[in-house]
Amino acid sequence: MRLTALLPVRSCLLLVVVSVCVQQVHGVWPLPQQLHQSADRGCLSPQRFSFTYGRDSAAQTGCSVLDAAFKRYFSIIFPDFTKGSGLLMCENQSNRLSVKTGGCDGYPDEDSDESYNLSVSEGQAVLRSVTVWGALRGLESFSQLVYQDDYGSYFINKTEIVDFPRFAFRGLLLDTSRHYLPLHAILKTLDAMAYSKFNVFHWHIVDDPSFPYQSRTFPDLSNKGAFHPFTHIYTQSDVMRVIEHARMRGIRVVPEFDSPGHTQSWGKGQPGLLTPCYKGGVPSGSFGPVDPTIDTTYKFMESLLKEVKFVFPDSYVHLGGDEVSFACWQSNPNVRKFMEKMGFGKDFTKLESFYMESIMNMTAALNRTSIVWQDVFDYHERIPQDTVLEIWKGEKYQAELSRMTQAGHRVLLSAPWYINHISYGQDWRNSYAVQPQNFSGTEEQKKLVIGGEVAMWGEYVDATNLTPRLWPRACAAAERLWSNEEKTLNADLAFPRLEEFRCELLRRGIQAEPLFVGHCKHEYDGL
C-alpha cells in the first residue's frame, strides 16, 4: 500500500546520559542533505536500549517492516553485545517510534517518501519521517553514527540531520543469466544496498546464456533454458523470498525480461519463438532474435507479461530492447515479406519498433510502466509517453539526456556506472564525479532525470567475486544519487568517510574490497 500525505513518523531513540567532549565525529554514507554534529557525545547501553512505538502511532507492534528493522538494527548497532559483558552502563533509554498512518504491509514504490529528520541530543534521539520507508533510512543513518571506544563502550555524538534523497530511483542491476547467482548472494547484496540507501533492485534475470526464472506458465523455459533445471534456477518461492527481503529494506524489485534480442535461452523451451536464420536460401539451423512477424510471438509475450505482473508487485517492468542484431531477420524470407507488406522497406529498425511498440502497449494494458534501453528511443519508435528510458551507452550520454528529456520522457542514467568494468587504482572516483543533470536543457528537462543505477553485468562475475567487486565501489554512485551534489563534489573529502564506511561494511559481514593502503579496526572475519 502506498503511503502518501502522512504526518511525521516519530522514532525516539533515547540514548545518552554522559556527555563528554571528544574530537572524534562520525559520518554517514551517503552524506545527508543537512548534517550538524558536535563533539559532545553520550554513551549507549545495549542492556537498556530498546525501540518502542509511540502511543499515537498507527503502526504498533506487528508492523512487519519496523518490527524486523528494530531487531536488525539492534544487532547492527551493538555487534559485540552479550549480556553481562561489563560494558559501560548508561541510564534508562526510551526509544519510541510513531507513525501517524499505517502502511507496514505494503511495498515501496516510485512515489514513496524517504525523507526523515534525526535529532540526537543529551538523553534522547528522535527520528521523524513521513513513511516507514523514511524511518528505515533514518535508522540506517542512526546506526552509522554509533561507535565504540577502545574499551568496547558504545557512544554517539550530538547530531542533527535533515535528509531526503536527491533522486527517487537509485538502482543496482544484477545479471543472473551469464552466471547464476545463488539466493544468498542476492540477499546479501540487498542488505548492502540498504546500508547505502539504494532503493531499486533491477533484476536482469534472464538473457542469452540461460533462463533461470522458473515460469509457472511456461515451465520449459527454465527446464530447457537454464544452465541446470534444478540447481541453477529461481523457483517461485525464491523470487518471493527476494521480493520480501527487499521490501523489508525499502527496496523495490524491478524485473527485466529483455527482448527481442538477448533471447537465445528462451528458444530452447519455447519452439517457434525465435527467428530461423537462413544461409544460401535454406535454414542454417541457427536462430536470431524473437520473430516479430507471427501472432504466436505476441500471444506468448502477453501470457508471460501477465505472469510477471502477478509475481512481481512493482509498477515497473524492464522490457529491454537493446543490441538487436538484424542479420538473421535480413536472411529470413518470411521476415522480408512481412517487411514489404508493412511498408518498412529494408529498414529493420522499423521492424524492431513495431515489435517493441506492441510489447509496450501490452505492458500499459496490464497497468505497468515500461523501462526500455536507449536503443528503443534511438530507433525513433512511437514510445508511450510514460515509458522510462535508460541510457547505457558510455559515449556522449549528456547529449542523449538532452534529447530524451526534450522529448518529454523520464530518464535513468546507467552509462557511467557500469562497474563490472574494473581498473587498477581508485576507480570509484570516476563514478563519484558523474553529474546526472549536467546537460543542455531546461530545469523542467532536468527534473525528468529520475535517477540512475549501478550495473554489474555477469560475464566475469559470479558469487566468488560479486561482493568485493560491487562494494565499496557502488557506494560512490549511491552518494551521487542520494546526496546534494554541491556538497559532494570533492572526492578527496569523501575518501575518509568512504574508507570508514567500507570498514563498517566489513563489520556487517560485507566483503568490501580496500580503497587503498590501510586497515580497519574490525577486519573482515569471514575468511
Side-chain angles (χ1 to χ4, degrees):
M1 167 176 146
R2 190 165 71 201
L3 299 176
T4 55
L6 305 185
L7 295 175
V9 168
R10 282 176 25 154
S11 167
C12 292
L13 308 140
L14 164 87
L15 314 174
V16 250
V17 150
V18 210
S19 285
V20 232
C21 200
V22 290
Q23 294 304 313
Q24 190 172 20
V25 176
H26 286 253
V28 175
W29 194 281
L31 185 70
Q33 300 291 334
Q34 298 178 33
L35 171 65
H36 302 285
Q37 290 181 307
S38 83
D40 294 341
R41 72 175 182 178
C43 76
L44 286 76
S45 171
Q47 292 93 337
R48 298 180 180 180
F49 183 99
S50 65
F51 295 104
T52 59
Y53 294 94
R55 292 179 183 176
D56 61 342
S57 179
Q60 294 290 339
T61 300
C63 175
S64 59
V65 172
L66 295 177
D67 282 356
F70 291 166
K71 293 177 183 178
R72 191 166 68 247
Y73 276 104
F74 187 92
S75 298
I76 288 172
I77 292 167
F78 304 113
D80 295 337
F81 171 62
T82 55
K83 290 184 178 179
S85 61
L87 297 175
L88 174 66
M89 294 289 287
C90 305
E91 289 187 357
N92 285 339
Q93 299 165 355
S94 167
N95 312 287
R96 298 187 305 275
L97 186 146
S98 297
V99 182
K100 295 298 183 183
T101 304
C104 301
D105 299 321
Y107 293 90
D109 62 29
E110 60 183 311
D111 296 321
S112 294
D113 189 323
E114 297 173 278
S115 63
Y116 68 93
N117 292 2
L118 176 63
S119 176
V120 180
S121 58
E122 184 176 353
Q124 68 173 353
V126 179
L127 173 64
R128 298 182 179 90
S129 71
V130 177
T131 67
V132 292
W133 318 119
L136 290 177
R137 306 300 174 235
L139 286 169
E140 175 56 42
S141 293
F142 175 77
S143 73
Q144 293 183 32
L145 292 170
V146 179
Y147 59 96
Q148 284 180 283
D149 65 11
D150 292 338
Y151 302 98
S153 296
Y154 295 94
F155 293 92
I156 190 168
N157 288 75
K158 185 177 180 180
T159 306
E160 296 287 335
I161 292 177
V162 176
D163 203 11
F164 53 87
R166 182 182 177 201
F167 293 103
F169 191 112
R170 306 178 307 283
L172 187 150
L173 176 152
L174 289 186
D175 169 10
T176 57
S177 173
R178 290 174 176 87
H179 282 98
Y180 176 82
L181 294 175
L183 197 61
H184 70 81
I186 296 175
L187 300 182
K188 178 162 277 194
T189 300
L190 290 168
D191 291 342
M193 287 174 64
Y195 303 152
S196 300
K197 297 188 175 73
F198 282 107
N199 70 341
V200 180
F201 171 39
H202 175 175
W203 196 350
H204 188 87
I205 193 166
V206 298
D207 205 296
D208 281 327
S210 71
F211 198 107
Y213 171 75
Q214 189 178 60
S215 169
R216 295 176 180 177
T217 315
F218 303 102
D220 275 351
L221 288 171
S222 62
N223 286 341
K224 298 179 180 179
F227 288 135
H228 189 283
F230 303 122
T231 61
H232 286 59
I233 61 167
Y234 302 107
T235 65
Q236 292 286 313
S237 62
D238 289 337
V239 173
M240 289 174 61
R241 188 174 171 192
V242 168
I243 291 170
E244 181 63 8
H245 196 87
R247 183 184 81 87
M248 300 298 273
R249 287 150 184 79
I251 297 172
R252 301 162 56 191
V253 178
V254 175
E256 180 180 357
F257 288 83
D258 189 359
S259 70
H262 293 282
T263 48
Q264 288 298 298
S265 65
W266 302 37
K268 297 175 183 178
Q270 187 65 23
L273 177 66
L274 303 184
T275 306
C277 305
Y278 279 67
K279 187 174 183 179
V282 295
S284 65
S286 62
F287 295 88
V290 165
D291 189 340
T293 69
I294 52 178
D295 291 340
T296 53
T297 289
Y298 299 98
K299 291 178 181 176
F300 164 80
M301 289 301 298
E302 187 171 25
S303 296
L304 180 63
L305 289 170
K306 283 180 179 177
E307 176 181 323
V308 169
K309 176 185 177 177
F310 178 79
V311 173
F312 294 90
D314 199 81
S315 60
Y316 283 21
V317 60
H318 205 304
L319 300 178
D322 64 315
E323 295 185 310
V324 180
S325 170
F326 299 145
C328 186
W329 283 350
Q330 289 172 332
S331 74
N332 185 293
N334 295 324
V335 173
R336 292 200 302 270
K337 287 178 185 176
F338 182 84
M339 293 274 290
E340 185 178 345
K341 173 186 171 184
M342 298 297 294
F344 294 160
K346 296 182 179 179
D347 186 354
F348 286 88
T349 66
K350 291 182 178 178
L351 181 59
E352 185 187 349
S353 300
F354 173 82
Y355 171 82
M356 288 303 298
E357 183 182 345
S358 301
I359 303 304
M360 287 186 285
N361 287 337
M362 284 180 197
T363 306
L366 293 169
N367 198 29
R368 289 291 184 263
T369 299
S370 300
I371 307 177
V372 294
W373 296 109
Q374 72 180 79
D375 312 47
V376 178
F377 176 80
D378 293 343
Y379 289 150
H380 308 293
E381 294 159 14
R382 289 179 292 180
I383 304 170
Q385 198 61 41
D386 69 339
T387 301
V388 177
L389 308 176
E390 182 166 5
I391 299 174
W392 68 272
K393 297 181 182 179
E395 307 84 19
K396 302 178 181 178
Y397 65 80
Q398 289 92 347
E400 194 81 346
L401 282 165
S402 183
R403 287 192 294 270
M404 288 177 173
T405 55
Q406 191 171 20
H409 288 289
R410 290 174 294 167
V411 181
L412 295 171
L413 181 64
S414 64
W417 290 317
Y418 268 43
I419 65 171
N420 50 293
H421 298 293
I422 57 175
S423 60
Y424 190 78
Q426 298 185 35
D427 59 354
W428 67 272
R429 291 173 178 264
N430 298 328
S431 295
Y432 199 75
V434 175
Q435 296 177 287
Q437 292 179 322
N438 184 19
F439 62 91
S440 177
T442 65
E443 287 305 309
E444 290 305 311
Q445 283 180 251
K446 294 181 181 184
K447 289 177 183 176
L448 290 172
V449 180
I450 61 171
E453 61 181 14
V454 166
M456 181 57 73
W457 297 100
E459 289 89 347
Y460 304 98
V461 176
D462 66 6
T464 65
N465 63 345
L466 171 67
T467 300
R469 187 167 291 195
L470 261 178
W471 312 106
R473 296 164 70 235
C475 300
E479 181 151 291
R480 182 56 56 238
L481 291 168
W482 178 281
S483 304
N484 181 292
E485 186 174 272
E486 292 182 0
K487 295 180 181 179
T488 55
L489 289 174
N490 191 321
D492 291 335
L493 293 178
F495 179 80
R497 284 189 302 108
L498 185 54
E499 194 172 40
E500 181 183 23
F501 185 57
R502 181 255 172 178
C503 291
E504 179 66 28
L505 290 176
L506 292 187
R507 196 170 193 195
R508 297 184 186 194
I510 304 300
Q511 199 169 348
E513 69 178 21
L515 289 162
F516 194 53
V517 176
H519 80 288
C520 292
K521 182 178 180 180
H522 302 277
E523 296 286 4
Y524 183 76
D525 62 3
L527 298 176

